[in-house]
Amino acid sequence: GILKKLERMEGLNIYPYSPHNKNDYSFNTNLPCIYTENVSLGLEHTKFDIRYNNAILKVSTSLVGSYYVDNILAVFGFLKAMGVEDKKISYCLNNLTKISGRMEVFRKEGFPTTVVDFGHNPDAIEKTLSTLKGLTQGNLFCVFVKQKVTQDDINAGLTTRPLGFEFAKQTT
């Protein structure tokens, strides 16, 4: 395959990765695989180990959700390929900050935990709801805000809210 061809090219730094474990990829190559272990997801954190070349990098971030594990692993592979030092990579990955409105958790004694996420398309809404279902117990209530849809939105294909609502009805 293409990875074998790339592996033979000089000057390329190739870091195949798998978000699950070292045996969960079929690259069929001699390159060391980057993969995760000990993934711990919570409403206010994501923790996991990145394994590569017999080394372990511990990651603890306020970003919530398994999709962030996948994204952080891709960033790690990119930074390794760019030759960034492990110490700098560790600092960067462990100091990522949330974007306001993305899986933002609010807690107050005597009130239900509230999570705000401005999912803007069916895929984002699906990932948010799937993550929350795995991190919560009991009922999960979803509130969607209906936005005014203009003809320009329709023409641009930006009318995804009803699709997200349909998914939410199926999942919760």
Side-chain angles (χ1 to χ4, degrees), residues 6 12 22 25 30 40 42 51 70 73 75 83 88 98 109 112 117-118 144 154:
L6 291 173
L12 286 181
K22 66 180 177 181
Y25 69 99
N30 294 325
S40 170
R51 295 201 53 121
D70 299 350
L73 197 58
V75 169
K88 289 180 181 178
K98 287 183 176 183
E109 186 69 33
D117 189 88
F118 298 120
F144 290 88
I154 294 168

Side-chain angles (χ1 to χ4, degrees), residues 1-146:
I2 189 152
L3 193 55
K4 281 285 195 189
K5 290 179 185 176
L6 291 173
E7 189 178 3
R8 289 190 296 266
M9 296 177 72
E10 289 187 36
L12 286 181
N13 295 321
I14 302 170
Y15 292 87
Y17 69 93
S18 167
H20 304 292
N21 64 58
K22 66 180 177 181
N23 299 317
D24 191 35
Y25 69 99
S26 56
F27 296 126
N28 195 19
T29 177
N30 294 325
L31 296 169
C33 181
I34 300 168
Y35 60 97
T36 60
E37 288 183 333
N38 306 317
V39 176
S40 170
L41 302 174
L43 275 177
E44 297 181 24
H45 77 276
T46 299
K47 296 178 182 180
F48 58 97
D49 298 335
I50 297 177
R51 295 201 53 121
Y52 64 100
N53 289 340
N54 298 319
I56 299 174
L57 171 71
K58 295 200 172 290
V59 177
S60 179
T61 178
S62 62
L63 304 175
V64 176
S66 60
Y67 46 91
Y68 283 118
V69 174
D70 299 350
N71 292 341
I72 290 170
L73 197 58
V75 169
F76 175 84
F78 173 77
L79 293 173
K80 288 298 290 178
M82 295 300 296
V84 177
E85 297 171 13
D86 288 354
K87 188 174 180 178
K88 289 180 181 178
I89 294 174
S90 177
Y91 178 82
C92 290
L93 297 183
N94 282 290
N95 288 284
L96 295 170
T97 57
K98 287 183 176 183
I99 296 171
S100 181
R102 290 304 318 226
M103 295 294 279
E104 193 169 359
V105 178
F106 297 91
R107 294 182 190 260
K108 185 172 181 179
E109 186 69 33
F111 291 90
T113 299
T114 303
V115 180
V116 174
D117 189 88
F118 298 120
H120 57 281
N121 61 46
D123 183 57
I125 293 169
E126 177 181 358
K127 285 181 174 146
T128 297
L129 293 175
S130 294
T131 296
L132 290 174
K133 280 183 73 174
L135 298 177
T136 57
Q137 296 177 350
N139 293 327
L140 176 60
F141 299 94
C142 304
V143 178
F144 290 88
V145 177
K146 183 176 182 191

